[in-house]
Amino acid sequence: MSVKSDKVFEKFTEVCIIPVVVLNDAKDALPLGKALMEGGLPAAEVTFRTAAAEESIRIMAQNFPDMLVGAGTVLTVEQAGRAVAAGAKFVVAPGLDEEVVQYCLDNDIPVCPGTQTASEMMKALKMGLTKVKFFPAENAGGLKMIKAIGAALTALKFMPTGGINASNVREYLASDKIFCCGGSWMVKGDLIKAGEFDKITQLVKEAAGIVKEVRG
Ligand code: 3PG
């Protein structure tokens, strides 16, 4: 991986919990960004599941230059290009699409594809990656599965995402196979829709507190 990718992934490791957000309206990007910064998790994976994703990334990247803002649910090369043009500092996907991964590698875009099986992880390694998402983490066997496959694929570190919450994130963070966790529990759509950004800040603070407790 490149120096730029290494630096971005260092930030993932510092933040430890990456909030996964679905924004239906780009007007929510600014207050959400504030809540994430104030709460102590200066990062967001803004999923390309809504039309507002691109503009939301642009708003967050412009207003919070120190924030680790990236794009999630990136399914195509075209989306990856648009995300990066909007200011995304990384690309995450639910699965491993070789075309998307190669495009990111060729353009020095930090990329973290989703994997679930040893074969998918081996493909990631073959493409030169050492960090992958494990998705959907809880449904796919959770930490036990990561430890079992990770024991064989020792070069890989994992970002489990899917089904992680304030009750089970500690056990993931306690493992040295995990470089960070992704989750939406502190930035749920109903809270965003209701404009409950104070509540989001509280939940983010709680999550940041867990990071401190487990990782120091
Ligand atoms: C997603 O697919 O939205 C992410 O993996 C987050 O999953 P979660 O909502 O279970 O945290």
Side-chain angles (χ1 to χ4, degrees):
M1 277 201 289
S2 71
V3 173
K4 180 180 153 193
S5 271
D6 286 347
K7 276 199 171 149
V8 167
F9 281 114
E10 244 169 58
K11 259 204 134 166
F12 272 83
T13 309
E14 276 167 35
V15 181
C16 275
I17 296 176
I18 307 298
V20 178
V21 301
V22 181
L23 285 168
N24 288 303
D25 193 331
K27 77 165 173 34
D28 294 325
L30 194 59
L32 180 66
K34 269 189 197 150
L36 294 171
M37 296 299 286
E38 279 173 30
L41 293 180
E45 178 192 320
V46 181
T47 57
F48 254 66
R49 293 175 206 177
T50 64
E54 198 175 338
E55 183 59 12
S56 299
I57 288 171
R58 187 171 291 113
I59 290 169
M60 285 190 184
Q62 275 173 3
N63 286 277
F64 309 104
D66 293 335
M67 193 169 170
L68 183 62
V69 183
T73 325
V74 173
L75 307 182
T76 64
V77 163
E78 186 263 343
Q79 285 177 330
R82 281 200 285 129
V84 171
K89 293 173 180 157
F90 63 84
V91 161
V92 171
L96 193 157
D97 180 288
E98 286 179 58
E99 213 184 318
V100 171
V101 171
Q102 197 55 55
Y103 170 82
C104 290
L105 292 173
D106 291 346
N107 290 280
D108 202 12
I109 302 162
V111 60
C112 192
T115 60
Q116 210 181 93
T117 64
S119 299
E120 290 160 356
M121 292 167 196
M122 284 167 64
K123 196 174 277 179
L125 277 169
K126 198 173 179 181
M127 295 190 82
L129 304 181
T130 54
K131 301 212 169 38
V132 291
K133 173 168 164 168
F134 181 62
F135 176 78
E138 282 289 292
N139 289 317
L143 186 57
K144 259 185 152 178
M145 184 65 113
I146 292 175
K147 282 185 175 167
I149 304 184
L153 304 179
T154 53
L156 277 183
K157 298 276 185 199
F158 301 89
M159 174 171 73
T161 308
I164 298 183
N165 54 50
S167 324
N168 62 11
V169 71
R170 278 181 189 79
E171 58 186 84
Y172 282 99
L173 290 178
S175 165
D176 65 0
K177 290 286 166 199
I178 310 293
F179 70 98
C180 76
C181 292
S184 69
W185 77 91
M186 70 304 269
V187 288
K188 284 284 177 215
D190 52 347
L191 293 176
I192 295 172
K193 196 172 169 203
E196 293 195 57
F197 295 102
D198 290 347
K199 172 84 178 152
I200 291 173
T201 308
Q202 276 315 310
L203 291 169
V204 173
K205 274 188 184 158
E206 189 193 331
I210 296 173
V211 171
K212 268 233 163 80
E213 182 192 313
V214 183
R215 295 237 159 148

